[in-house]
Amino acid sequence: DQQVKQNSPSLSVQEGRISILNCDYTNSMFDYFLWYKKYPAEGPTFLISISSIKDKNEDGRFTVFLNKSAKHLSLHIVPSQPGDSAVYFCAASKASGAGSYQLTFGKGTKLSVIP
Amino acid sequence: AAGVIQSPRHLIKEKRETATLKCYPIPRHDTVYWYQQGPGQDPQFLISFYEKMQSDKGSIPDRFSAQQFSDYHSELNMSSLELGDSALYFCASSLAAGGTDTQYFGPGTRLTVL
């Protein structure tokens, strides 16, 4: 079963507008959430994260919101730029061994920012 | 800033051959993870090491093994390769003592099994 879900496989947004990417999770043991950006044939690049004890984290144009009761998080990109076009993965983390925090990924959302 | 290094970047093997993938974590990172990403799929956790000891195991076939060495680099050994092993293999590293779970990924090794 998919414990981390990104229900929108793709999203198109006009340059300068807001991009909102959504993610839902089912496992209450997840305590840390991350967003990664990925270009084809490259490794995921860390964007922003949020601990389960917070409901918002902001870094420049990127803001992540967490609603624990709804088991939902979202990534807001404002303003969107053409260089933001990529696949965005939501990932959730839980302690899984000594010093190890296994990541569970969603299927990704392909964002296209139209100039 | 130094990033995670993976080698080789591309690897082509025949069925039933063996392959070794290498990962060099970010300096001072103490935890290494391996993930497999099939075509059109999300990355799937394989195995992790903390301070040179296996820490956790995911959906890693018995034909695969891995270890972390004294210099913290890690190798993923894959034997009796099958067509289905063709995928992108990512290594990630983190600093467990850093108080966050942020993993930083390498560029990946694309393995093609013919």
Side-chain angles (χ1 to χ4, degrees), chain B residues 40-90:
Chain B
Q41 301 296 313
D42 53 295
Q44 295 289 318
F45 171 73
L46 292 178
I47 195 167
S48 63
F49 293 87
Y50 169 66
E51 284 292 343
K52 293 154 280 183
M53 299 287 289
Q54 182 181 309
S55 181
D56 190 23
K57 205 170 178 180
S59 49
I60 183 169
D62 292 339
R63 300 177 288 108
F64 294 7
S65 65
Q67 57 182 324
Q68 187 179 30
F69 294 86
S70 58
D71 64 351
Y72 291 92
H73 94 273
S74 177
E75 295 184 4
L76 178 66
N77 298 294
M78 311 158 71
S79 63
S80 303
L81 287 169
E82 302 174 356
L83 295 178
D85 296 329
S86 296
L88 264 172
Y89 290 84
F90 292 109

Side-chain angles (χ1 to χ4, degrees), chain B:
Chain B
V4 176
I5 297 171
Q6 290 187 248
S7 68
R9 292 295 310 276
H10 302 273
L11 191 57
I12 300 175
K13 291 286 185 179
E14 300 277 341
K15 279 174 54 177
R16 292 180 287 278
E17 285 191 324
T18 62
T20 298
L21 280 56
K22 297 185 178 182
C23 169
Y24 298 85
I26 292 172
R28 292 183 294 282
H29 279 194
D30 50 21
T31 307
V32 167
Y33 303 81
W34 286 96
Y35 292 84
Q36 177 192 58
Q37 184 180 23
Q41 301 296 313
D42 53 295
Q44 295 289 318
F45 171 73
L46 292 178
I47 195 167
S48 63
F49 293 87
Y50 169 66
E51 284 292 343
K52 293 154 280 183
M53 299 287 289
Q54 182 181 309
S55 181
D56 190 23
K57 205 170 178 180
S59 49
I60 183 169
D62 292 339
R63 300 177 288 108
F64 294 7
S65 65
Q67 57 182 324
Q68 187 179 30
F69 294 86
S70 58
D71 64 351
Y72 291 92
H73 94 273
S74 177
E75 295 184 4
L76 178 66
N77 298 294
M78 311 158 71
S79 63
S80 303
L81 287 169
E82 302 174 356
L83 295 178
D85 296 329
S86 296
L88 264 172
Y89 290 84
F90 292 109
C91 171
S93 74
S94 69
L95 180 60
T100 72
D101 306 354
T102 303
Q103 295 178 27
Y104 296 89
F105 284 76
T109 293
R110 179 172 293 282
L111 172 66
T112 302
V113 181
L114 303 175

Side-chain angles (χ1 to χ4, degrees), chain A residues 4-5 21-25 33-35 50 64-67 70-75 90-92:
Chain A
V4 177
K5 299 177 185 177
L21 294 92
N22 293 302
C23 178
D24 298 291
Y25 63 97
F33 303 89
L34 309 92
W35 284 94
I50 187 166
V64 56
F65 296 92
L66 175 63
N67 182 332
K71 293 191 175 68
H72 176 84
L73 62 154
S74 60
L75 173 68
C90 170

Side-chain angles (χ1 to χ4, degrees), chain A residues 32-100:
Chain A
Y32 194 68
F33 303 89
L34 309 92
W35 284 94
Y36 287 88
K37 176 180 177 180
K38 187 177 182 304
Y39 295 112
E42 292 185 12
T45 301
F46 170 71
L47 270 179
I48 192 168
S49 61
I50 187 166
S51 165
S52 60
I53 62 173
K54 296 187 175 181
D55 55 17
K56 178 182 175 181
N57 188 27
E58 192 171 351
D59 184 2
R61 297 187 297 115
F62 303 92
T63 303
V64 56
F65 296 92
L66 175 63
N67 182 332
K68 274 190 70 176
S69 59
K71 293 191 175 68
H72 176 84
L73 62 154
S74 60
L75 173 68
H76 292 210
I77 306 174
V78 181
S80 301
Q81 300 173 354
D84 296 329
S85 298
V87 176
Y88 288 78
F89 285 97
C90 170
S93 167
K94 61 181 173 73
S96 59
S100 175

